[in-house]
Amino acid sequence: MFTRVMLVFSFFMSSLALAADTQSSGLKEFLAKLQGMENFQAAFVQTSRAQGGEILQQMQGTLSVAKPGKMRWETEDPYAQLVVSDGQLIWVYDMDLEQVTIRNMDQRVQETPALLLSGDTDQIDASFVVSYEASGKNSLFQLVPKDPSQLFQSLEFHYEGKILQRMMIFDAAGQVTEIAFSEQKANEAIDEQAFIFDVPEGVDVIDGRKSF
């Protein structure tokens, strides 16, 4: 569900310096957005499109994230699924399959980019090349993974003022996933129970946790 740019390299030192300045500015602005947000809640519509633009899948649901690393992502029928993170583990519950997968938080952004909103901002510089564009109240942040093994080629975060309006996920096959938010709330009270998952009785459990 969550599976889903590039900086132009130049031989000229002046272009390299410009790219470095762009990364520094984009990173600073993006971190300022994240650091000012302790939690975020919203409804969303997620639309996945093929390279030619045709809609492959569309779903809707709700999202809650909170620092550090906590998330609750719930989609409605006919693609009912619940993803919960308590900051250490992630539970992925497929209602139709009556199956829960449990795994550690390692490589979490690879499969659940929304966790960037609740993660450790100190790690973003090490993990992504960040670029930034602004026009009036609108700002766009583009994140390119430095790790080529990531399942997506790039992420985009679109803001209007301080409010996150949508995320875009671009993969190597040309597929684009847009997550459009509504009813956004930032830094309001969230019940901590939202980030606790109790495995339902009779559900199959796939334990993918690793010992470190």
Side-chain angles (χ1 to χ4, degrees):
M1 176 179 299
F2 295 102
T3 300
R4 313 329 158 193
V5 195
M6 297 294 283
L7 291 178
V8 177
F9 291 99
S10 172
F11 293 107
F12 298 102
M13 292 300 294
S14 59
S15 296
L16 291 173
L18 177 60
D21 289 344
T22 300
Q23 159 71 354
S24 176
S25 175
L27 178 65
K28 180 180 178 180
E29 293 290 339
F30 187 59
L31 292 183
K33 295 285 189 185
L34 297 185
Q35 289 167 349
M37 187 176 67
E38 291 300 316
N39 62 57
F40 177 76
Q41 303 171 77
F44 67 84
V45 175
Q46 176 175 307
T47 305
S48 297
R49 290 184 170 86
Q51 189 171 18
E54 62 270 26
I55 294 178
L56 301 175
Q57 186 183 70
Q58 189 169 68
M59 63 190 72
Q60 59 186 19
T62 57
L63 169 68
S64 298
V65 293
K67 295 178 180 177
K70 298 178 181 179
M71 183 183 76
R72 184 182 184 91
W73 173 285
E74 188 166 7
T75 53
E76 302 174 1
D77 289 333
Y79 304 105
Q81 187 183 60
L82 175 63
V83 181
V84 176
S85 169
D86 66 358
Q88 295 181 330
L89 298 175
I90 294 178
W91 293 265
V92 180
Y93 177 29
D94 286 296
M95 287 76 155
D96 289 343
L97 299 177
E98 296 186 335
Q99 176 179 290
V100 174
T101 302
I102 308 172
R103 64 180 186 269
N104 298 103
M105 287 283 286
D106 62 308
Q107 298 181 333
R108 59 192 181 278
V109 174
Q110 185 180 88
E111 298 186 16
T112 53
L115 269 169
L116 272 173
L117 301 173
S118 64
D120 182 357
T121 56
D122 292 340
Q123 298 300 318
I124 292 177
D125 186 26
S127 301
F128 297 96
V129 174
V130 183
S131 60
Y132 166 64
E133 296 179 9
S135 177
K137 295 182 178 181
N138 299 316
S139 54
L140 162 63
F141 298 91
Q142 192 175 64
L143 280 67
V144 183
K146 295 179 179 180
D147 179 358
S149 70
Q150 290 284 351
L151 298 179
F152 51 85
Q153 283 194 330
S154 65
L155 303 173
E156 290 183 359
F157 293 79
H158 296 252
Y159 286 82
E160 182 178 344
K162 296 181 179 180
I163 306 300
L164 180 63
Q165 298 295 332
R166 66 184 186 274
M167 290 174 55
M168 307 285 289
I169 305 169
F170 301 82
D171 71 17
Q175 180 174 319
V176 180
T177 298
E178 177 184 14
I179 305 169
F181 296 110
S182 62
E183 304 174 36
Q184 300 97 316
K185 300 176 184 178
N187 299 334
E188 296 192 8
I190 299 179
D191 187 348
E192 285 298 314
Q193 289 295 122
F195 308 116
I196 298 174
F197 183 79
D198 294 320
V199 178
E201 187 175 349
V203 170
D204 292 333
V205 176
I206 300 175
D207 194 337
R209 286 175 285 187
K210 301 176 182 178
S211 299
F212 297 98

